[in-house]
Amino acid sequence: QVQLQESGPGLVKPSQTLSLTCTVSGGSISSGSYSWNWIRQPAGKGLEWIGRINTSGSTNFNPSLKSRVTISLDTSKNQFSLRLSSVTAADTAVYYCARDLDYGDNWFDSWGQGTLVTVSS
Amino acid sequence: EKVMTQSPVTLSVSLGERATLSCRASQSVSDNVAWYQLKPGQVPRLLIYGASSRATGIPARFSGSGSGTEFTLTISSLQSEDFAVYSCQQYNNWPLTFGGGTKVEIK
């Protein structure tokens, strides 16, 4: 059973870049036809899909965040990462990493437990 | 983008009772809907995919139905561990979108 774990700073200043890493254990991040996703949930609101990367390095992003998001893959460390630039208080949320199938069937069968990131000076 | 609207926002249910949660899509998403259970500090759990298929290890008291724009998650007899937030997701179109969630609380 694959497990995912988010890590990174819990506090980021406005206008700076939020950086998070997801470490995958129990399986290789480059095996199988999976994509690796970032999803967030602001307090009191619903989940928002941020974007994903597949094992070939191809990415998809939510158009609402696309101009500020970078997602990268480090197969040697079995990790993938999120960078969100020019953050504001509206980016305060619990950030999750999750896995879905690369082609169709884009539901999330494995998740991390989430990490709270607060944007504040 | 496809907007997913869940109702009610909060559902108060007694132990052993049936809970019915609704999810409506702004346009047809065929049967490309999944449901998740979310609890604070825990890993979100996939319950249903393909609108009605139970994920691995999910108890039979959870069932999903619907197609097009109207979807339902039913918990036939609520257990204590079922009190949580439930979220629907469509994967028919990009970007992937979720509903706002329904909180199932103890009555």
Side-chain angles (χ1 to χ4, degrees), chain B residues 13-73:
Chain B
V13 187
S14 300
L15 280 170
E17 284 191 345
R18 182 186 195 91
T20 303
L21 290 67
S22 296
C23 178
R24 174 176 291 178
S26 58
Q27 299 173 58
S28 176
V29 293
S30 186
D31 62 352
N32 295 314
V33 166
W35 289 90
Y36 303 90
Q37 180 188 67
L38 290 85
K39 294 182 178 180
Q42 294 190 23
V43 175
R45 186 184 182 193
L46 172 68
L47 301 173
I48 301 287
Y49 62 91
S52 60
S53 298
R54 267 190 305 278
T56 303
I58 301 304
R61 63 180 182 274
F62 290 92
S63 63
S65 64
S67 67
T69 62
E70 301 286 342
F71 302 89
T72 301
L73 175 70

Side-chain angles (χ1 to χ4, degrees), chain A residues 47 49 52 106-108 111-112, chain B residues 36 43-44 46 49 89 91:
Chain A
L47 294 161
W49 175 73
R52 68 177 197 156
N106 301 115
W107 61 78
F108 305 103
W111 296 66
Chain B
Y36 303 90
V43 175
L46 172 68
Y49 62 91
Q89 176 226 340
Y91 52 92

